[in-house]
Amino acid sequence: MIRTVFLLLVLGMGTLASPENRLLTFEVMDRLQEVLLPLYNQLEPSMVEGITEVKRNVTQLIFALEAKVIEEKAIHLQQAIDQEIEIQEYVRTHHVDEECAPLVQELIDDDMDVAGFGFSNCIVTRVADGLQKEIDAMYAAGLWPEYRWFNSSLLEVFDGGNIFSEPDVLLTRLDEKQASLEEEAVLDFLPDLVENIEILEKRLSSIETAYVQCLQVNLLTLNMAFEIIKLQITQVCY
């Protein structure tokens, strides 16, 4: 009704310019409300469900990595403490000069402190930093193409357009948008995301391997330090 009245006014008043453009302006809004929005809304549940499932899987993978990291740290911490108990027993069963004994104990404490720093450093450099680098790398490589969907808002058709002077341009954009939404491949990125989960899982496995290696090197270093203390006990303090 509004458009009919508008058209009559336009036809009856020669001073109004571009009556066709004004009618196309209404057409733009009609297309958005009656065609594009329902179509977009129809696809949204599948898109949301698919992406949510993928993100849930990613969260579970990261949780599993963190659980494994904590488990491995507990194991290696126990081994470090076992080494400390062993060196303390070594000191107890060997005659150590009274003046040297406090220095030996200080060396043991210092070595344990260094090992403690090493354990924390393994988590930061191998896990926390490594995980962030892998996630950033996957985004940079375009392995999370769900953002193609998030960036495909219906409103982007208005970018740089003018609904009054160039409604035909907007209608062309709406045609293109409608065609893309009607394509059977519009949600084809979802299987890609599942495949990318497998890629991430392998990368997280590499992070775990690097972390365990870091812990092992830390334990080996502690053991070497304690062996030096044993040598000092037998050669200097005995």
Side-chain angles (χ1 to χ4, degrees):
M1 178 64 179
I2 295 177
R3 271 171 288 179
T4 301
V5 172
F6 175 79
L7 180 58
L8 292 174
L9 287 172
V10 168
L11 294 176
M13 298 176 62
T15 57
L16 284 178
S18 304
E20 182 179 352
N21 276 357
R22 297 299 182 263
L23 291 178
L24 290 179
T25 294
F26 289 110
E27 179 66 20
V28 169
M29 301 311 298
D30 284 347
R31 288 283 300 283
L32 274 171
Q33 293 176 322
E34 298 175 9
V35 180
L36 274 300
L37 274 177
L39 183 58
Y40 196 84
N41 189 53
Q42 177 183 345
L43 293 171
E44 184 189 24
S46 297
M47 179 270 295
V48 171
E49 180 180 354
I51 292 178
T52 299
E53 180 63 24
V54 167
K55 292 187 180 299
R56 182 181 299 113
N57 290 338
V58 170
T59 301
Q60 291 174 346
L61 283 178
I62 293 176
F63 172 80
L65 172 65
E66 292 177 342
K68 189 65 176 178
V69 163
I70 293 172
E71 178 185 356
E72 288 291 345
K73 182 167 184 176
I75 292 173
H76 286 78
L77 284 177
Q78 183 61 58
Q79 292 176 1
I81 292 174
D82 290 343
Q83 288 186 21
E84 182 185 24
I85 293 174
E86 180 183 338
I87 188 64
Q88 294 285 10
E89 180 66 16
Y90 189 91
V91 172
R92 188 184 68 81
T93 57
H94 288 70
H95 175 73
V96 180
D97 184 89
E98 291 183 0
E99 293 184 0
C100 200
L103 297 176
V104 170
Q105 185 58 52
E106 184 177 348
L107 287 174
I108 294 174
D109 291 340
D110 287 345
D111 289 337
M112 288 297 290
D113 287 344
V114 171
F117 174 80
F119 284 128
S120 295
N121 192 51
C122 285
I123 285 185
V124 174
T125 61
R126 298 300 191 275
V127 181
D129 292 348
L131 178 59
Q132 189 60 53
K133 287 179 181 177
E134 292 297 346
I135 292 176
D136 290 344
M138 294 193 74
Y139 277 120
L143 297 180
W144 298 113
E146 77 272 22
Y147 283 96
R148 292 182 315 189
W149 179 273
F150 292 137
N151 291 332
S152 64
S153 167
L154 297 178
L155 304 181
E156 67 181 359
V157 298
F158 290 101
D159 185 19
N162 190 312
I163 197 169
F164 289 122
S165 63
E166 296 179 325
D168 53 324
V169 173
L170 298 182
L171 284 172
T172 299
R173 293 180 181 179
L174 289 177
D175 287 339
E176 295 171 353
K177 177 66 66 176
Q178 181 177 345
S180 68
L181 292 177
E182 289 176 341
E183 287 181 3
E184 293 183 359
V186 67
L187 295 177
D188 277 359
F189 65 83
L190 293 178
D192 292 340
L193 293 183
V194 175
E195 182 177 342
N196 293 339
I197 288 292
E198 298 175 359
I199 295 175
L200 179 61
E201 186 172 11
K202 292 179 181 178
R203 295 185 177 186
L204 294 187
S205 178
S206 297
I207 289 176
E208 180 185 338
T209 299
Y211 172 68
V212 172
Q213 291 173 346
C214 184
L215 294 179
Q216 292 172 343
V217 169
N218 198 45
L219 274 180
L220 179 60
T221 302
L222 178 63
N223 183 65
M224 292 171 59
F226 284 164
E227 288 298 320
I228 293 175
I229 289 177
K230 289 181 181 179
L231 183 62
Q232 290 172 327
I233 289 173
T234 57
Q235 298 299 321
V236 179
C237 298
Y238 187 69

